[in-house]
Amino acid sequence: MMADVPARNGAEGSSGVSRPATWPNRLTVLSGPSGVGKSTVVAEIRRSHPEVWLSVSATTRAPRPGERDGREYHFVDDTEFDRLIEAGELLEWAEFAGNRYGTPKTPVEQRLAAGHPVLLEIDLQGARQVRAAMPGALLVFLSPPNWEELVRRLVGRGTEPPEVRERRLEAARVELAAEPEFDVTLTNTSVNDVVNELLSLMVTPTPH
Ligand code: 5GP
């Protein structure tokens, strides 16, 4: 099935910052609600398009089974994360579910300076920081096909206590409300469609 052509949400985000019509050094940020499938999209790009350079974040969370240091994340302790912040080595960082995550600045700047597209997969707080620091970045919001699907993904087998479930759903409502801040929305109906749309956004300057 052909993917819908993604529509730009408008040249001006709710921050009021106008962005250039083209992105000569294209920095693309993939963000969206927790549970929408951002990491699945990135894992698929890593698998099927190894030529695409993906920023590797630093995080204080422990590796999950199958994750490798330096591939999914740089796994660091709190002391090292503090050092990265103090040394100004992070382009942005945020706390998410009790752990800290940040984008190492130098590798991103080097890739952009060399004219290569760069993709960051980060949470909403991080996306807002990138918007402020680099107004020319293209912000892509990954949205669920519908609310029921997001609920299914967030609460899974429903083994959590009701208050945990409610907290997650409330957070998801707040996160979904951030969509108008983004330049483009991609709906996660199919991982392959999202990957293809994202890759074409990353290399195509937006005509004005
Ligand atoms: P997870 O622990 O499931 O891999 O990631 C949790 C959340 O952290 C996801 O929403 C992911 O997008 C976000 N995240 C991953 N790396 C970064 C980063 O470098 N900066 C920010 N702000 N968020 C990140």
Side-chain angles (χ1 to χ4, degrees):
M1 191 182 71
M2 279 297 290
D4 287 335
V5 175
R8 281 178 62 78
N9 289 341
E12 211 169 88
S14 61
S15 66
V17 178
S18 288
R19 286 173 301 287
T22 58
W23 287 260
N25 290 324
R26 174 59 65 85
L27 173 62
T28 306
V29 174
L30 179 67
S31 195
S34 155
V36 76
K38 301 185 295 281
S39 57
T40 309
V41 167
V42 168
E44 179 56 21
I45 293 177
R46 189 179 287 117
R47 192 193 66 77
S48 59
H49 292 83
E51 75 284 4
V52 174
W53 186 78
L54 300 164
S55 166
V56 180
S57 298
T59 182
T60 58
R61 90 150 158 74
R64 295 186 183 128
E67 287 183 335
R68 204 196 304 148
D69 188 36
R71 187 178 60 184
E72 282 81 8
Y73 286 105
H74 300 292
F75 295 99
V76 302
D77 60 15
D78 272 314
T79 313
E80 172 62 4
F81 205 94
D82 287 342
R83 192 197 66 74
L84 291 171
I85 296 170
E86 269 155 40
E89 290 184 24
L90 299 178
L91 178 61
E92 60 72 37
W93 70 273
E95 189 160 334
F96 184 95
N99 293 299
R100 290 183 292 172
Y101 298 81
T103 305
K105 194 194 283 180
T106 307
V108 168
E109 287 178 344
Q110 284 173 343
R111 291 309 187 294
L112 291 175
H116 298 307
V118 164
L119 179 64
L120 309 182
E121 182 254 298
I122 60 179
D123 83 326
L124 292 166
Q125 309 164 69
R128 292 184 178 116
Q129 291 175 52
V130 172
R131 162 115 306 158
M134 302 171 110
L138 182 76
L139 265 60
V140 179
F141 189 86
L142 190 62
S143 77
N146 51 57
W147 172 251
E148 289 69 31
E149 177 63 18
L150 188 62
V151 172
R152 199 183 61 73
R153 295 186 65 140
L154 275 176
V155 300
R157 294 151 295 162
T159 44
E160 299 90 352
E163 61 275 16
V164 173
R165 179 190 151 96
E166 257 326 297
R167 218 178 322 133
R168 287 195 193 175
L169 295 182
E170 184 47 34
R173 283 186 200 100
V174 171
E175 290 172 338
L176 278 174
E179 182 185 340
E181 297 174 40
F182 284 71
D183 299 306
V184 180
T185 297
L186 299 180
T187 304
N188 195 5
T189 41
S190 131
V191 173
N192 279 336
D193 286 352
V194 171
V195 165
N196 290 333
E197 289 163 356
L198 196 55
L199 292 177
S200 75
L201 284 170
M202 286 175 67
V203 296
T204 313
T206 307
H208 204 55

